Amino acid sequence: MDLEAVNSMNYEQFLDIFGNIVEKCPIITAAVWSRRPFLTLSEVEDRVCEFIDSLPISGKEGILRCHPDLAGRELTSGTLTMESQQEQRQAGLTSLTSREQERLTLLNTRYKQKFGFPFVICAKMSDKDKILKELTTRLQNDPSAELLKGIEEVKKICHVRLQDIWCRGSPVPTKL
Ligand code: 2AL
């Protein structure tokens, strides 16, 4: 995928390719399309981050709430997005022992009760042991620190998803 290909996409093509760089938030991609032409590929990521940073607290919380639980119901039922499925599998979350599964479910529930949004971490930059450790630690944070941390992780997930798209090297939207 090169810059010229990205800049020449109409918004439908852009959404087909980049629509899930922030989990279940295609509105961000749709907004970023208006910022073309991009001068570099990394500018796409900069514009996404800029958009996220411009949101009020409720908007940032909303982005976090669009993320599925790690090793949650959607993983079991096969209803995760393709990206999330691959990320959770790569982090080892499809092969948890029953003890690890129980612990993760308990911590996820406690986290959501405390903060009102799910625990978010870039799974591809982690693994199941680190995720359990980080979740335990982050449960101790105060809500404003956790909102910042969660959004930082959303940006990492976006970075990884964009890298995947650049490396896949397909300038042609898959749905065309
Ligand atoms: C996710 C997800 O779906 N992919 C990822 O890297 N992290 N979800 C989450 N709650 O952290």
Side-chain angles (χ1 to χ4, degrees):
M1 173 88 55
D2 62 27
L3 190 60
E4 201 188 320
V6 176
N7 280 329
S8 66
M9 286 178 191
N10 63 32
Y11 73 82
E12 286 101 338
Q13 293 167 329
F14 194 74
L15 271 165
D16 276 349
I17 298 282
F18 299 98
N20 206 41
I21 53 177
V22 179
E23 180 74 10
K24 293 184 188 150
C25 294
I27 189 173
I28 299 180
T29 305
V32 161
W33 179 82
S34 315
R35 306 298 300 275
R36 293 162 314 123
F38 306 109
L39 298 179
T40 60
L41 288 178
S42 64
E43 196 189 327
V44 177
E45 187 174 337
D46 295 342
R47 297 291 169 234
V48 170
C49 293
E50 209 173 274
F51 184 93
I52 294 174
D53 290 338
S54 74
L55 292 172
I57 288 174
S58 57
K60 292 182 176 123
E61 288 175 346
I63 290 177
L64 294 174
R65 290 186 191 119
C66 287
H67 286 71
D69 281 347
L70 294 169
R73 245 181 310 124
E74 288 159 285
L75 179 65
T76 323
S77 62
T79 54
L80 287 173
T81 60
M82 192 185 64
E83 292 89 344
S84 181
Q85 168 77 32
Q86 195 203 27
E87 289 154 2
Q88 297 207 27
R89 184 170 8 92
Q90 200 169 314
L93 298 176
T94 48
S95 49
L96 296 175
T97 63
S98 51
R99 207 186 149 90
E100 288 166 336
Q101 178 69 57
E102 258 173 46
R103 176 108 187 108
L104 194 49
T105 304
L106 177 75
L107 291 172
N108 270 336
T109 304
R110 280 198 194 143
Y111 184 99
K112 282 192 280 188
Q113 276 166 354
K114 176 168 178 182
F115 299 112
F117 48 77
F119 171 75
V120 174
I121 190 167
C122 178
K124 273 197 171 167
M125 293 183 180
S126 198
D127 60 44
K128 61 179 182 175
D129 294 330
K130 285 190 202 151
I131 287 169
L132 275 165
K133 208 167 150 207
E134 185 76 2
L135 180 44
T136 309
T137 308
R138 281 173 50 188
L139 250 175
Q140 311 306 317
N141 279 346
D142 67 61
S144 55
E146 234 350 83
L147 179 66
L148 283 179
K149 184 68 189 154
I151 289 297
E152 235 176 69
E153 295 297 319
V154 168
K155 291 176 182 173
K156 287 186 201 167
I157 297 169
C158 174
H159 175 79
V160 165
R161 290 183 181 184
L162 278 170
Q163 291 306 309
D164 263 8
I165 294 171
W166 306 143
C167 295
R168 219 189 299 148
S170 159
V172 184
T174 46
K175 287 186 191 164
L176 272 188

